[in-house]
DNA sequence: CGGCATCGAGTCCGAAACGGTATTGGACCG
DNA sequence: CGGTCCAATACCGTTTCGGACTCGATGCCG
């Protein structure tokens, strides 16, 4: 698992749409789909239901999206703190 | 920045010794040194003082080690939760 | 003081991971 | 059905990563 995968997933979860999320993330759709799949494989849980046309978050996906956002926010906080650290 | 870099850094901070940390992480010393350097570059702050022989955490390094450990603990918690999620 | 061991940094190379283009498969709409 | 929209798959080039080897520097000990 990587922080990038969490960022990717959070955006896809917000958009509920892989192609739109890819545009927001400045990547193309296939790598994004692959990273989401890799995340699901590692967690052993599906994050989205595939519906032929589009995707929908599962219950676990909603939980995980909230946690992922919290983790990323924590990271951002620490990085920001490092920028204004008294050298 | 990646979760792996945070894991690497936490172990090096615990050991205050790159080579021992590398052994614990099952990697060799050069890649570990490089990841630590990359982390410092990204944060814009040194995490260790280099003393020709060995390394010592800076004040910022101690702060960052605590935060990194907290972030990794959060990740572990969420991953563990996914394992026992009611399918 | 000199030889030696220790430790992190630098160099180089092969392997794995990542992203992009092109294409496929499947579902909804007219 | 024909067209379109969307995610998944196949394939390829590039980048990144880790490992083996070496270098430079610093303590240690005879």
């Amino acid at each position: 698992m990587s922080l990038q995968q969490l960022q990717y997933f959070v955006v896809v979860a917000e958009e509920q749409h892989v192609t739109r999320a890819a545009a927001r993330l400045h990547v193309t759709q296939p790598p994004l789909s692959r990273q989401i799949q890799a995340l699901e494989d590692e967690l052993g849980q599906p994050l989205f239901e595939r519906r032929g046309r589009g995707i929908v978050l599962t219950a676990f996906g909603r939980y995980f999206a909230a946690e992922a956002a919290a983790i990323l926010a924590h990271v951002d906080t620490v990085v920001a703190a490092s920028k204004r650290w008294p050298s």
Side-chain angles (χ1 to χ4, degrees), chain A residues 53:
Chain A
R53 181 110 148 205

mmCIF file of all heavy atoms in Angstrom, chain A residues 53, chain C residues 27-30, chain D residues 1-5:
data_model
loop_
_atom_site.group_PDB
_atom_site.id
_atom_site.type_symbol
_atom_site.label_atom_id
_atom_site.label_comp_id
_atom_site.label_asym_id
_atom_site.label_seq_id
_atom_site.Cartn_x
_atom_site.Cartn_y
_atom_site.Cartn_z
ATOM 1 N N ARG A 53 -21.570 -0.065 -16.279
ATOM 2 C CA ARG A 53 -21.449 1.375 -16.576
ATOM 3 C C ARG A 53 -21.251 2.112 -15.260
ATOM 4 O O ARG A 53 -22.216 2.449 -14.592
ATOM 5 C CB ARG A 53 -22.731 1.848 -17.270
ATOM 6 C CG ARG A 53 -22.682 3.290 -17.627
ATOM 7 C CD ARG A 53 -22.586 3.451 -19.119
ATOM 8 N NE ARG A 53 -23.252 4.656 -19.560
ATOM 9 C CZ ARG A 53 -23.742 4.817 -20.780
ATOM 10 N NH1 ARG A 53 -23.689 3.838 -21.625
ATOM 11 N NH2 ARG A 53 -24.295 5.949 -21.128
ATOM 12 P P DA C 27 -22.978 -6.730 -18.566
ATOM 13 O OP1 DA C 27 -22.953 -7.167 -17.159
ATOM 14 O OP2 DA C 27 -23.501 -7.623 -19.624
ATOM 15 O "O5'" DA C 27 -23.762 -5.341 -18.635
ATOM 16 C "C5'" DA C 27 -23.560 -4.402 -17.572
ATOM 17 C "C4'" DA C 27 -23.932 -3.029 -18.062
ATOM 18 O "O4'" DA C 27 -23.290 -2.778 -19.328
ATOM 19 C "C3'" DA C 27 -25.435 -2.813 -18.299
ATOM 20 O "O3'" DA C 27 -25.797 -1.608 -17.663
ATOM 21 C "C2'" DA C 27 -25.556 -2.708 -19.810
ATOM 22 C "C1'" DA C 27 -24.201 -2.092 -20.154
ATOM 23 N N9 DA C 27 -23.765 -2.281 -21.537
ATOM 24 C C8 DA C 27 -23.577 -3.453 -22.204
ATOM 25 N N7 DA C 27 -23.155 -3.303 -23.446
ATOM 26 C C5 DA C 27 -23.058 -1.933 -23.597
ATOM 27 C C6 DA C 27 -22.656 -1.119 -24.675
ATOM 28 N N6 DA C 27 -22.270 -1.597 -25.866
ATOM 29 N N1 DA C 27 -22.668 0.219 -24.489
ATOM 30 C C2 DA C 27 -23.059 0.707 -23.291
ATOM 31 N N3 DA C 27 -23.451 0.044 -22.215
ATOM 32 C C4 DA C 27 -23.428 -1.284 -22.419
ATOM 33 P P DC C 28 -27.178 -1.458 -16.906
ATOM 34 O OP1 DC C 28 -26.867 -0.982 -15.549
ATOM 35 O OP2 DC C 28 -27.925 -2.723 -17.127
ATOM 36 O "O5'" DC C 28 -27.929 -0.286 -17.683
ATOM 37 C "C5'" DC C 28 -27.580 1.052 -17.390
ATOM 38 C "C4'" DC C 28 -27.593 1.877 -18.665
ATOM 39 O "O4'" DC C 28 -26.966 1.165 -19.752
ATOM 40 C "C3'" DC C 28 -28.993 2.243 -19.180
ATOM 41 O "O3'" DC C 28 -29.168 3.647 -19.003
ATOM 42 C "C2'" DC C 28 -28.984 1.834 -20.655
ATOM 43 C "C1'" DC C 28 -27.487 1.683 -20.945
ATOM 44 N N1 DC C 28 -27.151 0.755 -22.048
ATOM 45 C C2 DC C 28 -26.708 1.276 -23.265
ATOM 46 O O2 DC C 28 -26.623 2.506 -23.405
ATOM 47 N N3 DC C 28 -26.391 0.429 -24.282
ATOM 48 C C4 DC C 28 -26.489 -0.882 -24.108
ATOM 49 N N4 DC C 28 -26.157 -1.679 -25.125
ATOM 50 C C5 DC C 28 -26.942 -1.441 -22.867
ATOM 51 C C6 DC C 28 -27.260 -0.599 -21.881
ATOM 52 P P DC C 29 -30.621 4.300 -19.330
ATOM 53 O OP1 DC C 29 -30.749 5.495 -18.471
ATOM 54 O OP2 DC C 29 -31.643 3.232 -19.293
ATOM 55 O "O5'" DC C 29 -30.456 4.769 -20.850
ATOM 56 C "C5'" DC C 29 -29.330 5.565 -21.222
ATOM 57 C "C4'" DC C 29 -29.520 6.089 -22.639
ATOM 58 O "O4'" DC C 29 -29.006 5.122 -23.582
ATOM 59 C "C3'" DC C 29 -30.968 6.341 -23.019
ATOM 60 O "O3'" DC C 29 -31.058 7.528 -23.777
ATOM 61 C "C2'" DC C 29 -31.331 5.114 -23.836
ATOM 62 C "C1'" DC C 29 -30.018 4.800 -24.531
ATOM 63 N N1 DC C 29 -29.863 3.376 -24.879
ATOM 64 C C2 DC C 29 -29.364 3.024 -26.147
ATOM 65 O O2 DC C 29 -29.067 3.914 -26.945
ATOM 66 N N3 DC C 29 -29.228 1.706 -26.454
ATOM 67 C C4 DC C 29 -29.552 0.776 -25.564
ATOM 68 N N4 DC C 29 -29.388 -0.509 -25.900
ATOM 69 C C5 DC C 29 -30.062 1.099 -24.276
ATOM 70 C C6 DC C 29 -30.199 2.407 -23.967
ATOM 71 P P DG C 30 -32.562 8.148 -23.994
ATOM 72 O OP1 DG C 30 -32.491 9.577 -23.624
ATOM 73 O OP2 DG C 30 -33.535 7.240 -23.335
ATOM 74 O "O5'" DG C 30 -32.743 8.034 -25.559
ATOM 75 C "C5'" DG C 30 -31.857 8.752 -26.425
ATOM 76 C "C4'" DG C 30 -31.844 8.095 -27.799
ATOM 77 O "O4'" DG C 30 -31.488 6.725 -27.653
ATOM 78 C "C3'" DG C 30 -33.199 8.126 -28.500
ATOM 79 O "O3'" DG C 30 -33.158 8.999 -29.616
ATOM 80 C "C2'" DG C 30 -33.452 6.693 -28.955
ATOM 81 C "C1'" DG C 30 -32.152 5.968 -28.643
ATOM 82 N N9 DG C 30 -32.363 4.629 -28.083
ATOM 83 C C8 DG C 30 -32.882 4.321 -26.870
ATOM 84 N N7 DG C 30 -32.936 3.039 -26.626
ATOM 85 C C5 DG C 30 -32.411 2.457 -27.771
ATOM 86 C C6 DG C 30 -32.217 1.098 -28.094
ATOM 87 O O6 DG C 30 -32.483 0.095 -27.420
ATOM 88 N N1 DG C 30 -31.648 0.965 -29.361
ATOM 89 C C2 DG C 30 -31.312 1.984 -30.204
ATOM 90 N N2 DG C 30 -30.790 1.645 -31.368
ATOM 91 N N3 DG C 30 -31.499 3.262 -29.902
ATOM 92 C C4 DG C 30 -32.045 3.423 -28.672
ATOM 93 P P DC D 1 -31.695 -7.468 -34.388
ATOM 94 O OP1 DC D 1 -31.403 -7.235 -35.797
ATOM 95 O OP2 DC D 1 -32.534 -8.430 -33.799
ATOM 96 O "O5'" DC D 1 -30.424 -7.324 -33.410
ATOM 97 C "C5'" DC D 1 -29.218 -6.704 -33.808
ATOM 98 C "C4'" DC D 1 -29.452 -5.299 -34.309
ATOM 99 O "O4'" DC D 1 -30.387 -4.601 -33.454
ATOM 100 C "C3'" DC D 1 -28.197 -4.433 -34.358
ATOM 101 O "O3'" DC D 1 -28.216 -3.664 -35.543
ATOM 102 C "C2'" DC D 1 -28.314 -3.562 -33.111
ATOM 103 C "C1'" DC D 1 -29.808 -3.369 -33.020
ATOM 104 N N1 DC D 1 -30.299 -3.113 -31.643
ATOM 105 C C2 DC D 1 -30.555 -1.805 -31.224
ATOM 106 O O2 DC D 1 -30.372 -0.874 -32.008
ATOM 107 N N3 DC D 1 -31.004 -1.590 -29.968
ATOM 108 C C4 DC D 1 -31.208 -2.634 -29.144
ATOM 109 N N4 DC D 1 -31.665 -2.394 -27.921
ATOM 110 C C5 DC D 1 -30.960 -3.971 -29.553
ATOM 111 C C6 DC D 1 -30.515 -4.159 -30.792
ATOM 112 P P DG D 2 -26.833 -3.213 -36.291
ATOM 113 O OP1 DG D 2 -27.050 -3.159 -37.754
ATOM 114 O OP2 DG D 2 -25.793 -4.094 -35.733
ATOM 115 O "O5'" DG D 2 -26.573 -1.734 -35.766
ATOM 116 C "C5'" DG D 2 -27.352 -0.657 -36.309
ATOM 117 C "C4'" DG D 2 -26.867 0.671 -35.765
ATOM 118 O "O4'" DG D 2 -27.325 0.828 -34.394
ATOM 119 C "C3'" DG D 2 -25.354 0.825 -35.732
ATOM 120 O "O3'" DG D 2 -25.043 2.189 -36.024
ATOM 121 C "C2'" DG D 2 -24.993 0.442 -34.299
ATOM 122 C "C1'" DG D 2 -26.224 0.899 -33.510
ATOM 123 N N9 DG D 2 -26.545 0.047 -32.369
ATOM 124 C C8 DG D 2 -26.381 -1.314 -32.276
ATOM 125 N N7 DG D 2 -26.777 -1.808 -31.133
ATOM 126 C C5 DG D 2 -27.233 -0.718 -30.426
ATOM 127 C C6 DG D 2 -27.782 -0.625 -29.126
ATOM 128 O O6 DG D 2 -27.981 -1.556 -28.328
ATOM 129 N N1 DG D 2 -28.117 0.675 -28.799
ATOM 130 C C2 DG D 2 -27.943 1.758 -29.619
ATOM 131 N N2 DG D 2 -28.330 2.934 -29.121
ATOM 132 N N3 DG D 2 -27.424 1.699 -30.841
ATOM 133 C C4 DG D 2 -27.094 0.431 -31.174
ATOM 134 P P DG D 3 -23.567 2.776 -35.838
ATOM 135 O OP1 DG D 3 -23.371 3.773 -36.913
ATOM 136 O OP2 DG D 3 -22.640 1.635 -35.688
ATOM 137 O "O5'" DG D 3 -23.625 3.571 -34.444
ATOM 138 C "C5'" DG D 3 -24.696 4.504 -34.232
ATOM 139 C "C4'" DG D 3 -24.539 5.155 -32.873
ATOM 140 O "O4'" DG D 3 -24.979 4.223 -31.851
ATOM 141 C "C3'" DG D 3 -23.095 5.528 -32.522
ATOM 142 O "O3'" DG D 3 -23.099 6.796 -31.883
ATOM 143 C "C2'" DG D 3 -22.658 4.415 -31.589
ATOM 144 C "C1'" DG D 3 -23.958 4.074 -30.869
ATOM 145 N N9 DG D 3 -24.025 2.712 -30.364
ATOM 146 C C8 DG D 3 -23.639 1.565 -31.014
ATOM 147 N N7 DG D 3 -23.823 0.485 -30.313
ATOM 148 C C5 DG D 3 -24.373 0.947 -29.115
ATOM 149 C C6 DG D 3 -24.797 0.230 -27.963
ATOM 150 O O6 DG D 3 -24.758 -0.992 -27.768
ATOM 151 N N1 DG D 3 -25.286 1.092 -26.979
ATOM 152 C C2 DG D 3 -25.373 2.450 -27.099
ATOM 153 N N2 DG D 3 -25.876 3.111 -26.057
ATOM 154 N N3 DG D 3 -24.984 3.130 -28.173
ATOM 155 C C4 DG D 3 -24.494 2.320 -29.131
ATOM 156 P P DT D 4 -21.799 7.592 -31.574
ATOM 157 O OP1 DT D 4 -21.966 8.975 -32.067
ATOM 158 O OP2 DT D 4 -20.677 6.741 -32.023
ATOM 159 O "O5'" DT D 4 -21.779 7.626 -29.974
ATOM 160 C "C5'" DT D 4 -23.001 7.845 -29.267
ATOM 161 C "C4'" DT D 4 -22.810 7.503 -27.801
ATOM 162 O "O4'" DT D 4 -22.967 6.068 -27.589
ATOM 163 C "C3'" DT D 4 -21.429 7.853 -27.258
ATOM 164 O "O3'" DT D 4 -21.581 8.336 -25.955
ATOM 165 C "C2'" DT D 4 -20.726 6.506 -27.251
ATOM 166 C "C1'" DT D 4 -21.892 5.621 -26.814
ATOM 167 N N1 DT D 4 -21.712 4.184 -27.056
ATOM 168 C C2 DT D 4 -22.186 3.293 -26.117
ATOM 169 O O2 DT D 4 -22.738 3.633 -25.099
ATOM 170 N N3 DT D 4 -21.983 1.963 -26.435
ATOM 171 C C4 DT D 4 -21.357 1.469 -27.566
ATOM 172 O O4 DT D 4 -21.239 0.262 -27.745
ATOM 173 C C5 DT D 4 -20.888 2.449 -28.494
ATOM 174 C C7 DT D 4 -20.200 2.022 -29.759
ATOM 175 C C6 DT D 4 -21.086 3.749 -28.199
ATOM 176 P P DC D 5 -20.695 9.555 -25.383
ATOM 177 O OP1 DC D 5 -21.507 10.779 -25.411
ATOM 178 O OP2 DC D 5 -19.378 9.495 -26.044
ATOM 179 O "O5'" DC D 5 -20.531 9.133 -23.849
ATOM 180 C "C5'" DC D 5 -21.681 8.674 -23.127
ATOM 181 C "C4'" DC D 5 -21.292 7.536 -22.212
ATOM 182 O "O4'" DC D 5 -21.125 6.322 -22.972
ATOM 183 C "C3'" DC D 5 -19.980 7.755 -21.465
ATOM 184 O "O3'" DC D 5 -20.220 7.638 -20.077
ATOM 185 C "C2'" DC D 5 -19.073 6.634 -21.956
ATOM 186 C "C1'" DC D 5 -20.088 5.577 -22.386
ATOM 187 N N1 DC D 5 -19.584 4.620 -23.391
ATOM 188 C C2 DC D 5 -19.791 3.245 -23.188
ATOM 189 O O2 DC D 5 -20.382 2.872 -22.164
ATOM 190 N N3 DC D 5 -19.330 2.354 -24.109
ATOM 191 C C4 DC D 5 -18.704 2.805 -25.195
ATOM 192 N N4 DC D 5 -18.275 1.902 -26.069
ATOM 193 C C5 DC D 5 -18.483 4.199 -25.423
ATOM 194 C C6 DC D 5 -18.941 5.069 -24.499
#
